Every structure is written in structure tokens, then in C-alpha cells.
């Protein structure tokens, strides 16, 4: 996140002796990005973060493509996937390219016997159903329905759920996830026209210093493999940290919509960006107020990106037969638009309650075997009455 934050106790200067009450040194760790050229944080551990006791047998954890090349409008019903007890096993890869992996997950159990670290990708976890606590070395973030959790790569974390009914929509980004540059001034502060700002960001809280020794399993994901590591000390052993590199939360319900007299284009919904893709939030809002406005979107050919829409809640004025957890995939190369009858129906409407997450990747998405099991095969014909 592009602003400075500090939690717990830290020494007066960086890289100086910092001692525990018993006289031993804390172990300073620099967590830096893009070499030493971008955001970083300094974490002060009770124990060095290097105490590896054992490495288990790595195993593959990768999306498998059923369709490598796609030129067909499609939809997938992600709520058709069965819940799993385990957090990692519940992750179902759906769509992917070299910039991002998109998955859904319905984990039932909290992570109590292992930790997870994605060494390759920043993760954006959208909480569609469920609530709980994200635990990290930086502190804890309480999450609930509608939250985006943004977890930078390299962050060891655990998800603790309040109950077994959880539905997550996950983006793994191989580039840093950031707020759009146009929302920020030259110093990194959110500008007045931005649909959200610093006060809307959920920062890590309740730093717990777990000064425990034993066997601590950390599943590390790198290059489509999971490496089971066993460390000799608890990963969440920080006494304090500061910097710009840390996980945060943001509720889609705090996204302030931008409206106009006539239909506003998708960039007004933009929430985050990565390299070669954007993430947008469609939230309840007043409709366009020109006397002759057409609230339903126009047909459009977005010639430079695929478009996926993940339907969260509410009534979708431009589509029929929409279910919660449904994904539509509209690939570049062909236009898409409102379903028959929905344009006339939208005339005179004052507001929409729709809630959705949109991802526009600039390179085509491959479709996984798991996604094809959830496909609505007739979707591409749904514009013909
Ligand atoms: Fe679209």
C-alpha cells in the first residue's frame, strides 16, 4: 500500500542494535520489492526468519487448461463447486494467463495446522460469503462479506473463518496490486476524485508476538509448486515493523460510485490494477439522470481485453438468468452487450442494487478443466430470443 504504517515496537533508527528485555538482539528482516527499488518494510522478529528444519516433497499446484484459445462468450457457475475442508485444496482454478490466475474457493475450516505463503503472486481475496481474521506477521485484519483482502507476495498468512460457510473469489497477480495511479497525487496520497481513500483501508491491527519454538509448517507456493517447509519458530514472531509493504483490506461497500447524466464507462469502477489487467467494483448507485438517458450499458467491443464479471449480489439490469457466484467471460474479438429487452426495461430506472467484481485482462485468458465443469453451455446464444 503506498503509505507508511507502523505497528508494535521498533528501534529509533533502522539497522541499529535492537535488544530484547533479556539482552539478546531482535532479528531485523528487510522485505523489499523490485529488488531494492520499490515498496519495503522492516520487520523485527524474536527469531531469525531463516530457521528451516525440514523441506517436504514438493507437489504441483497449477491450473490445467481445457481451452487454450477462446473466442466464445461463456459463463460459469462457481457456486456449483463443492466446499472443501482445507483452505488450499478448496482453491479451484478457473481462468488464467501469464499475468494472473483467477480462482474460486469454498473452504470450510480455518488454517490451524499450517501457514501459507504465495512466493510468486500478490493475492486479492474477495470475500463473497463468510467472515473471520487474516493473520500475518504484520498483524491481523478482520474480514467480512464484501472485503477485498490484498496480500502481497511473500506474506506468510493464515485465514481463520468464523464458520464453515465461506465463498472466496481470488486473483493471484504476478505483478504488484496497486490502486490506480490516476487516483494518487505525486506523494502517493489519494486524490479528492478517487472513489476511495486512506480512511477506507483496513490496516493490520492486534500485532501478536508469538515467541514459540517447535515445528511450524509453511506451505510455500512458487512456480506452480507447493513446497512444504518446516520452520523451528512461529512465523508470527514480530515485536514490531514499519514500512509501505503490508497486507490490507478494502470493503467493496466503501467504494463510492461515480455517476453522470449519461452512461459512464467502466474505468469509473476501477479499484485496483496490476500489470496488464484491472480490477473494478460495480456497486449500488443512482442511474444516469439525463432525461433521455439509457441506463443499460451499450453494446461494446473492447478490442484490447477479455472481460470477466463475477456477480456478487443484487439485480443485474443488463443480463437475464444471473446467479450469485456466476462468472461471465466475454473475450476480446467479439462484441457483447445487454440481453434482449433489458435496454427498454432500464429506461426510467432510478437506481441499481447490483454488486459485482470485474476483471479486464489485456491478454486472453485460458479456461481450466474445472471451469468447464461449471459452464453454462448455452450462454453464448443467450442474446438470441
Ligand atoms: Fe462488458
Amino acid at each position: 500500500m503506498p503509505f507508511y504504517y507502523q505497528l508494535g515496537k521498533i528501534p529509533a533508527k533502522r539497522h541499529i542494535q535492537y535488544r530484547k528485555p533479556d539482552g539478546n538482539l531482535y532479528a531485523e528482516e528487510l522485505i523489499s520489492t523490485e529488488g531494492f527499488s520499490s515498496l519495503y518494510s522492516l520487520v523485527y522478529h524474536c527469531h531469525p526468519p531463516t530457521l528451516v528444519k525440514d523441506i517436504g516433497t514438493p507437489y504441483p499446484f497449477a491450473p490445467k487448461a481445457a481451452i487454450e484459445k477462446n473466442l466464445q462468450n461463456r459463463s460459469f457457475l462457481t457456486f456449483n463447486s463443492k466446499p472443501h475442508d482445507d483452505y488450499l485444496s478448496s482453491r479451484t482454478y478457473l481462468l488464467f494467463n501469464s499475468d494472473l490466475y483467477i480462482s474460486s474457493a469454498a473452504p470450510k475450516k480455518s488454517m490451524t495446522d499450517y501457514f501459507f505463503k504465495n512466493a510468486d503472486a500478490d493475492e486479492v481475496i474477495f470475500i463473497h460469503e463468510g467472515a473471520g481474521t487474516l493473520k500475518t506477521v504484520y498483524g491481523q485484519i478482520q474480514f467480512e462479506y464484501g472485503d477485498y483482502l490484498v496480500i502481497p507476495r511473500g506474506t506468510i498468512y493464515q485465514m481463520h473463518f468464523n464458520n464453515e460457510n465461506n465463498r472466496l473469489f481470488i486473483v493471484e497477480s504476478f505483478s504488484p496490486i496497486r490502486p490506480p495511479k490516476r487516483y494518487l497525487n505525486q506523494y502517493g496520497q489519494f486524490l479528492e476524485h478517487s472513489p476511495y481513500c486512506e480512511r477506507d483501508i483496513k490496516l493490520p491491527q492486534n500485532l501478536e508476538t508469538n515467541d514459540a519454538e517447535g515445528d511450524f509448517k509453511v506451505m510455500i507456493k512458487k512456480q506452480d509448486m507447493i513446497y512444504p517447509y518446516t520452520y523451528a519458530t512461529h512465523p508470527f514472531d514480530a515485536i514490531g515493523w514499519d514500512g509501505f509493504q503490508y497486507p490490507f483490506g478494502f470493503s467493496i461497500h466503501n467504494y463510492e460510485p461515480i455517476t453522470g447524466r449519461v452512461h459512464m464507462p467502466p474505468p469509473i469502477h476501477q479499484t485496483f490494477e496490476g500489470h496488464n489487467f484491472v480490477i473494478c467494483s460495480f456497486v449500488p448507485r443512482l442511474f444516469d439522470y439525463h432525461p433521455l438517458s439509457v441506463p443499460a450499458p451499450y453494446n461494446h467491443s473492447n478490442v484490447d481485453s477479455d472481460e470477466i464479471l463475477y456477480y456478487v449480489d443484487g439485480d443485474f439490469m443488463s443480463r437475464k438468468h444471473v446467479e450469485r457466484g456466476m462468472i461471465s467471460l466475454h473475450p476480446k474479438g467479439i462484441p457483447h452487450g445487454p440481453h434482449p429487452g433489458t435496454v427498454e426495461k432500464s429506461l426510467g430506472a432510478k437506481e441499481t442494487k447490483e454488486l459485482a467484481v470485474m476483471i479486464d485482462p489485456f491478454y486472453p485468458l485460458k479456461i481450466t478443466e474445472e471451469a468447464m465443469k461449471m459452464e453454462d453451455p448455452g450462454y453464448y446464444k443467450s442474446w438470441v430470443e
Side-chain angles (χ1 to χ4, degrees):
M1 200 64 204
F3 57 87
Y4 176 83
Y5 187 56
Q6 182 233 315
L7 207 56
K9 295 183 206 150
I10 57 172
K13 282 182 73 69
R14 56 189 176 183
H15 318 323
I16 62 171
Q17 294 174 28
Y18 186 36
R19 294 193 181 274
K20 304 176 189 176
D22 67 5
N24 289 317
L25 287 167
Y26 285 110
E28 184 184 51
E29 181 188 13
L30 167 67
I31 298 171
S32 67
T33 63
E34 295 179 25
F36 297 85
S37 307
S38 191
L39 305 182
Y40 67 92
S41 287
L42 284 166
V43 180
Y44 296 88
H45 297 275
C46 291
H47 304 280
T50 49
L51 305 181
V52 177
K53 279 177 115 169
D54 186 45
I55 304 175
T57 308
Y59 62 89
F61 198 87
K64 289 197 190 86
I67 296 179
E68 296 262 353
K69 297 174 182 178
N70 176 56
L71 185 64
Q72 182 179 320
N73 291 327
R74 297 176 187 271
S75 78
F76 310 95
L77 300 170
T78 68
F79 277 23
N80 282 2
S81 68
K82 285 207 180 80
H84 284 253
D85 281 346
D86 177 58
Y87 175 73
L88 273 184
S89 315
S90 75
R91 195 170 287 203
T92 305
Y93 283 121
L94 304 169
L95 303 158
F96 67 105
N97 68 19
S98 58
D99 295 310
L100 74 167
Y101 290 177
I102 296 168
S103 55
S104 64
K108 289 166 72 174
K109 305 286 188 202
S110 297
M111 300 162 71
T112 51
D113 57 351
Y114 72 95
F115 304 80
F116 176 58
K117 172 160 84 171
N118 194 326
D120 279 331
D122 286 22
E123 296 193 345
V124 181
I125 302 174
F126 178 76
I127 311 296
H128 193 168
E129 291 185 354
T133 307
L134 170 71
K135 296 188 174 184
T136 75
V137 75
Y138 302 98
Q140 304 177 1
I141 300 173
Q142 306 287 332
F143 61 81
E144 60 187 352
Y145 162 59
D147 280 346
Y148 293 100
L149 294 173
V150 179
I151 307 174
R153 76 203 56 192
T155 304
I156 299 175
Y157 73 84
Q158 275 186 331
M159 296 282 275
H160 289 256
F161 301 104
N162 292 352
N163 61 49
E164 295 197 340
N165 303 317
N166 305 292
R167 289 278 175 183
L168 313 176
F169 178 62
I170 303 170
V171 176
E172 289 171 59
S173 166
F174 298 104
S175 58
I177 290 288
R178 303 275 165 80
K181 285 190 189 74
R182 69 177 188 280
Y183 292 170
L184 305 173
N185 67 21
Q186 62 179 313
Y187 302 102
Q189 184 180 16
F190 284 94
L191 287 161
E192 274 288 307
H193 72 261
S194 172
Y196 62 98
C197 73
E198 288 82 356
R199 293 187 201 181
D200 299 314
I201 302 298
K202 286 186 170 187
L203 295 163
Q205 307 285 343
N206 309 323
L207 185 72
E208 281 181 5
T209 306
N210 294 285
D211 186 11
E213 297 178 39
D215 291 328
F216 299 91
K217 191 189 271 188
V218 183
M219 309 300 271
I220 304 177
K221 181 170 183 283
K222 188 175 182 200
Q223 292 177 298
D224 291 337
M225 300 288 287
I226 299 277
Y227 296 84
Y229 265 63
T230 303
Y231 280 91
T233 54
H234 197 291
F236 304 158
D237 69 342
I239 188 73
W241 66 271
D242 76 336
F244 284 57
Q245 176 78 349
Y246 51 86
F248 64 92
F250 170 67
S251 172
I252 196 169
H253 307 302
N254 279 328
Y255 190 92
E256 296 303 328
I258 297 166
T259 59
R261 289 231 305 163
V262 293
H263 192 79
M264 302 292 283
I268 58 122
H269 305 283
Q270 194 182 342
T271 311
F272 303 116
E273 65 189 12
H275 183 58
N276 289 331
F277 73 93
V278 298
I279 298 177
C280 301
S281 302
F282 284 74
V283 300
R285 61 195 182 278
L286 296 180
F287 270 140
D288 322 325
Y289 45 89
H290 185 285
L292 294 176
S293 69
V294 180
Y298 29 69
N299 297 294
H300 65 280
S301 281
N302 192 348
V303 298
D304 284 322
S305 76
D306 282 8
E307 176 188 306
I308 83 146
L309 206 52
Y310 177 81
Y311 298 92
V312 180
D313 261 316
D315 190 25
F316 285 84
M317 61 19 185
S318 63
R319 311 225 163 269
K320 296 174 176 174
H321 314 303
V322 168
E323 292 181 28
R324 296 172 73 243
M326 184 180 127
I327 287 176
S328 61
L329 164 62
H330 300 136
K332 69 176 178 181
I334 47 173
H336 63 278
H339 275 140
T342 57
V343 173
E344 283 288 350
K345 202 175 141 200
S346 78
L347 301 181
K350 295 291 181 226
E351 62 177 334
T352 173
K353 301 284 191 196
E354 68 185 14
L355 196 65
V357 175
M358 186 174 81
I359 302 170
D360 282 6
F362 303 149
Y363 286 95
L365 291 166
K366 297 176 175 132
I367 304 166
T368 67
E369 294 170 359
E370 293 296 322
M372 291 308 291
K373 290 178 196 162
M374 306 178 209
E375 196 196 15
D376 168 6
Y379 180 76
Y380 75 99
K381 295 180 181 174
S382 62
W383 285 264
V384 179
E385 287 187 289

